[in-house]
Amino acid sequence: MKKAVILGAGTAGTMMSNHLAKKLPKDEWEIVVVDQEKTHYYQPGFLFLPFDIYQPEDVVKPIDDFLPSRAKRIMQKIDRVEPESNTVTLQNGDMIGYDILIIATGSHIAPKEVTGMMSDAWHKDVFDFYTYAGACALREKFMNWEGGKLVIHITEMPIKCPVAPLEFAFLADAFFTEKGMRDKVDITFVTPLSGAFTKPVASDKLAYLLKDKNIRIVADFAIESVNNETRTIHDYGGKEVAYDLLVTVPTNMGDSMVERSGFGDDLNFIPTDKCTLQSKVADNIFVIGDATDLPASKAGSVAHFEADVLTENIIRFINGEPMTYEFDGHSNCFIETGHGKALLIDFNYTHEPVEGSFPLGSFGPLKLLKESRMNHMGKLAFRWVYWNMLLKGTPIPFVPATMSEAGKHLEMSKHD
Amino acid sequence: MTTTIAGQEVSVNAEGYMTDLNQWTKEIALEIAKAEEVNMTDKCWEVIAWIQEQYRNENPLTIRKVGKSGITDIKEFYELFPNGPLKKASKIAGIPKPVGCI
């Protein structure tokens, strides 16, 4: 019996377990899934918890409900991978051999990377919303908050769901407006990039959002420290921004298992071929989702598109054939803009987000890079799609793994 | 679009970032640096060369990586290229500026 071992049962790992359960012959392959957690979190929902759009129970379900019945599930912390001997060592000392290894251990926040970020003020004045605990704590805080300087901050790139901080700013504007206290809340968005929007078409089409919503931007801010006494954040260039409530996206790092295994980059992301998703560590190790060092967005939709490509490539690898399926960096995401509206963007390694219709080029019904109520309904409906289709590896109609150019105004992105 | 920098015709985007690293020369870099109010020291050139190497190897550029380059630390990087060192250094190096999704 040969063994396919999947590390991590988040979005990417769960999808891969379901894809492989359908493709790998039962009498030849055993599928093993290792994850220390009990709970699968619908991470896109964390954004909605602080604003009372979702309730905590909307975003949690048991991991085991989504794994295929033929998979053997091991609930243990992973210590390390040893590519030379094709073994995974668990924290309890158990060792698992593998023929194929799929690493889907994701990325996590690392607030200790910035001086002063992790302190007694954590989840009191300084919050993250990239964890269930952080989003729930912020939800409590917002219920009684009387207003002041709300600073939404990105520590450094890359981060999971790069548009989430901006959505947070838009939703905060709507939330406090609807509470009748927007005049008491001063919203500032602090980013290490050159602006809230960095791509030409998006900058051009969306700059109005920040102006209309009265959100101040502090750009090119590379944070050096958080001072909890003076309630200020400081950057290496000497700039400082004062806050009453800091909502930060800390440094995102790959799992510490990667560091222990000795094959990650300086943020514990794993060197991976950006087309085939084969790791650069060993031929029989593949990487999917946030755990890779791919120049694609770290997002569930990316993992979803990668899963289709990776499944085909793994089957080809097993059969000794060339891995001809190529991931193009396809990413697709809804961007909440508040007051029941959202934008939708669809892009890949080579094409920036442009206007157009999605998923059917001539029909839509969703509009790309334009605010609409339909896009917002799409985002809310996506939670159902996630739990009922995406995790189980059921194809989503009309949305292929590689980006379609139909219905997109690609001429917009030509600047020459 | 194209523009003339240091007497040479080069391809640039709407924000003035060069779109073809093969067209880059030190003379062009000096002229961009002047416009960006950066005084090009030996250290600056070292950083520029390192940044170009990262770009050629398709390694995304981040402040953290510059800090760990062994050439400079983040504090000094800010002194070398004041106010937005990553985008200024990218512009002088003739590569696109680091971007997010949108």
Side-chain angles (χ1 to χ4, degrees):
Chain A
M1 204 66 163
K2 284 185 267 188
K3 216 181 259 185
V5 175
I6 300 170
L7 303 182
T11 307
T14 301
M15 285 189 296
M16 282 313 295
S17 70
N18 284 306
H19 279 302
L20 293 181
K22 286 177 204 144
K23 295 267 183 175
L24 295 178
K26 252 186 185 167
D27 52 348
E28 288 175 39
W29 284 87
E30 183 184 9
I31 298 172
V32 179
V33 180
V34 187
D35 194 303
Q36 62 182 330
E37 302 291 335
K38 270 193 195 136
T39 305
H40 187 116
Y41 293 100
Y42 176 58
Q43 295 181 65
F46 291 173
L47 171 72
F48 291 133
L49 290 178
F51 306 108
D52 204 23
I53 299 169
Y54 280 177
Q55 310 304 309
E57 60 269 24
D58 292 337
V59 302
V60 293
K61 286 187 194 288
I63 283 179
D64 290 340
D65 287 5
F66 299 96
L67 297 178
S69 54
R70 66 177 277 200
K72 181 182 171 192
R73 157 96 145 108
I74 296 175
M75 207 192 294
Q76 268 292 325
K77 193 176 159 79
I78 304 153
D79 181 46
R80 64 187 187 281
V81 175
E82 281 164 30
E84 304 77 25
S85 57
N86 296 325
T87 14
V88 177
T89 305
L90 304 178
Q91 203 181 36
N92 66 359
D94 286 0
M95 290 165 92
I96 311 166
Y98 59 81
D99 294 283
I100 298 278
L101 183 70
I102 297 157
I103 304 181
T105 42
S107 74
H108 312 280
I109 60 163
K112 287 182 183 158
E113 290 290 307
V114 173
T115 308
M117 190 176 279
M118 200 55 171
S119 72
D120 293 345
W122 186 246
H123 291 179
K124 291 193 180 77
D125 299 325
V126 181
F127 293 83
D128 77 287
F129 66 98
Y130 273 44
T131 58
Y132 182 66
C136 288
L138 196 49
R139 177 187 173 84
E140 293 292 313
K141 179 82 176 183
F142 273 172
M143 282 182 183
N144 305 307
W145 194 48
E146 288 172 359
K149 292 191 268 300
L150 172 63
V151 173
I152 298 145
H153 165 256
I154 300 170
T155 301
E156 61 179 311
M157 303 303 285
I159 58 168
K160 180 152 47 181
C161 194
V163 293
L166 200 53
E167 294 181 277
F168 191 96
F170 295 153
L171 289 177
D173 165 69
F175 179 74
F176 293 114
T177 302
E178 280 154 27
K179 270 188 139 188
M181 55 180 285
R182 182 63 179 87
D183 58 327
K184 295 197 182 84
V185 180
D186 176 41
I187 304 179
T188 305
F189 185 84
V190 182
T191 170
L193 295 171
S194 59
F197 302 107
T198 54
K199 299 215 170 155
V201 180
S203 300
D204 186 39
K205 298 289 167 192
L206 303 177
Y208 77 93
L209 285 168
L210 299 156
K211 212 171 151 226
D212 288 2
K213 295 175 192 298
N214 197 17
I215 295 166
R216 190 166 69 99
I217 298 290
V218 178
D220 300 310
F221 189 99
I223 192 167
E224 184 175 21
S225 61
V226 179
N227 186 329
N228 299 293
E229 304 286 312
T230 53
R231 288 190 183 164
T232 43
I233 52 174
H234 300 260
D235 94 335
Y236 286 98
K239 273 188 283 194
E240 73 172 59
V241 175
Y243 65 86
D244 293 304
L245 181 48
L246 176 64
V247 177
T248 185
V249 180
T251 303
N252 277 211
M253 294 181 81
D255 198 272
S256 56
M257 173 285 287
V258 177
E259 192 177 8
R260 288 191 292 275
S261 305
F263 49 58
D265 65 12
D266 53 356
L267 288 169
N268 298 344
F269 294 122
I270 305 167
T272 306
D273 185 287
K274 70 175 191 177
C275 296
T276 63
L277 304 174
Q278 187 177 40
S279 79
K280 295 175 184 171
V281 178
D283 288 353
N284 61 342
I285 299 182
F286 298 85
V287 196
I288 181 168
D290 296 351
T292 73
D293 73 340
L294 261 50
S297 300
K298 295 196 182 298
S301 71
V302 174
H304 165 66
F305 298 133
E306 286 173 345
D308 289 348
V309 173
L310 182 55
T311 303
E312 295 301 334
N313 277 343
I314 286 178
I315 301 304
R316 285 177 166 260
F317 177 80
I318 289 169
N319 294 335
E321 295 162 2
M323 294 180 287
T324 47
Y325 284 82
E326 294 201 344
F327 181 60
D328 67 350
H330 189 193
S331 179
N332 176 282
C333 67
F334 293 102
I335 304 173
E336 282 294 301
T337 53
H339 304 291
K341 288 186 187 173
L343 300 155
L344 178 65
I345 55 173
D346 195 57
F347 58 101
N348 66 9
Y349 286 141
T350 49
H351 291 300
E352 66 175 304
V354 292
E355 290 184 314
S357 310
F358 186 87
L360 299 175
S362 53
F363 171 70
L366 302 175
K367 295 280 176 235
L368 293 169
L369 211 56
K370 264 193 186 141
E371 277 186 289
S372 80
R373 292 198 178 277
M374 186 72 106
N375 287 340
H376 171 67
M377 298 316 288
K379 177 138 184 162
L380 295 184
F382 185 71
R383 179 161 56 107
W384 187 92
V385 173
Y386 181 87
W387 291 125
N388 294 287
M389 296 175 77
L390 191 122
L391 287 179
K392 292 173 183 165
T394 309
I396 297 175
F398 313 119
V399 185
T402 50
M403 194 189 91
S404 161
E405 297 189 4
K408 291 197 171 73
H409 303 177
L410 292 171
E411 72 285 354
M412 292 170 76
S413 59
K414 292 198 175 73
H415 300 285
D416 313 294
Chain B
M1 65 179 81
T2 57
T3 187
T4 305
I5 308 177
Q8 289 187 60
E9 193 156 310
V10 292
S11 312
V12 292
N13 71 11
E15 292 179 311
Y17 288 79
M18 288 176 66
T19 52
D20 182 0
L21 184 53
N22 291 323
Q23 297 176 334
W24 184 90
T25 63
K26 278 200 162 187
E27 289 69 35
I28 291 173
L30 271 174
E31 195 161 312
I32 298 173
K34 206 169 154 190
E36 294 289 327
E37 297 177 345
V38 171
N39 176 29
M40 291 298 286
T41 61
D42 289 351
K43 194 64 147 183
C44 289
W45 288 114
E46 269 186 68
V47 173
I48 294 296
W50 182 85
I51 284 176
Q52 290 175 334
E53 189 191 326
Q54 302 311 305
Y55 180 73
R56 289 196 184 97
N57 295 331
E58 295 191 346
N59 295 328
L61 196 59
T62 64
I63 289 266
R64 170 184 288 259
K65 284 189 178 153
V66 175
K68 289 192 171 178
S69 62
I71 293 168
T72 185
D73 57 29
I74 301 175
K75 202 98 191 163
E76 188 187 49
F77 186 42
Y78 264 83
E79 285 160 14
L80 297 174
F81 304 93
N83 306 319
L86 216 45
K87 66 176 183 188
K88 282 196 179 181
S90 299
K91 199 168 194 177
I92 296 167
I95 67 163
K97 73 174 179 189
V99 292
C101 284
I102 52 172

